[in-house]
Amino acid sequence: MDTNTVDLRSTLAAQPVNRTVNVSLPTQVYFDLDQFQKIQKELLGQLGCPACTSGFDIRYDFQRRFIVNANLAVQAIELPQEQPSP
C-alpha cells in the first residue's frame, strides 16, 4: 500500500460516534415504574437490543413546552398526556 493512501476502515473506526439518545417523557410515565420499563423496553428494541443499552447514552427528560407571546412573556404549557392502552 502506498504510504500516502488512507485506510478508510481505520479512519472511520477512529471517528467518535454520537451514541446519545434523548427521550422526553410525560411526568406520569417518568414516575411510574411499570410504564417507564415498558417505554425503556420498546426504546431498547428500536436501538437494536431489547435487553441492554448497547453502549448508548440514554438521557431521559420531562416533556416541556414554553410559549412566548408578543410581549415576551414566557408561559409553560402542559403537553397533552396520552392514556396508556389496556
Side-chain angles (χ1 to χ4, degrees):
M1 182 187 294
D2 183 353
T3 57
N4 293 327
T5 303
V6 175
D7 182 0
L8 186 57
R9 289 173 298 192
S10 62
T11 302
L12 290 175
Q15 297 294 319
V17 177
N18 185 359
R19 310 258 315 158
T20 302
V21 177
N22 295 302
V23 181
S24 292
L25 298 171
T27 54
Q28 71 186 43
V29 173
Y30 193 88
F31 291 111
D32 183 313
L33 182 59
D34 292 331
Q35 289 185 36
F36 185 86
Q37 288 176 331
K38 182 178 179 181
I39 296 297
Q40 187 175 30
K41 180 179 179 183
E42 174 68 24
L43 175 65
L44 294 178
Q46 290 191 32
L47 292 175
C49 182
C52 69
T53 62
S54 301
F56 286 97
D57 177 10
I58 303 174
R59 300 178 184 188
Y60 293 95
D61 192 8
F62 300 120
Q63 287 181 338
R64 297 179 201 142
R65 180 170 286 169
F66 298 91
I67 292 180
V68 179
N69 68 20
N71 296 324
L72 303 181
V74 179
Q75 179 182 5
I77 301 298
E78 181 73 24
L79 296 176
Q81 305 296 319
E82 292 183 19
Q83 296 301 318
S85 303

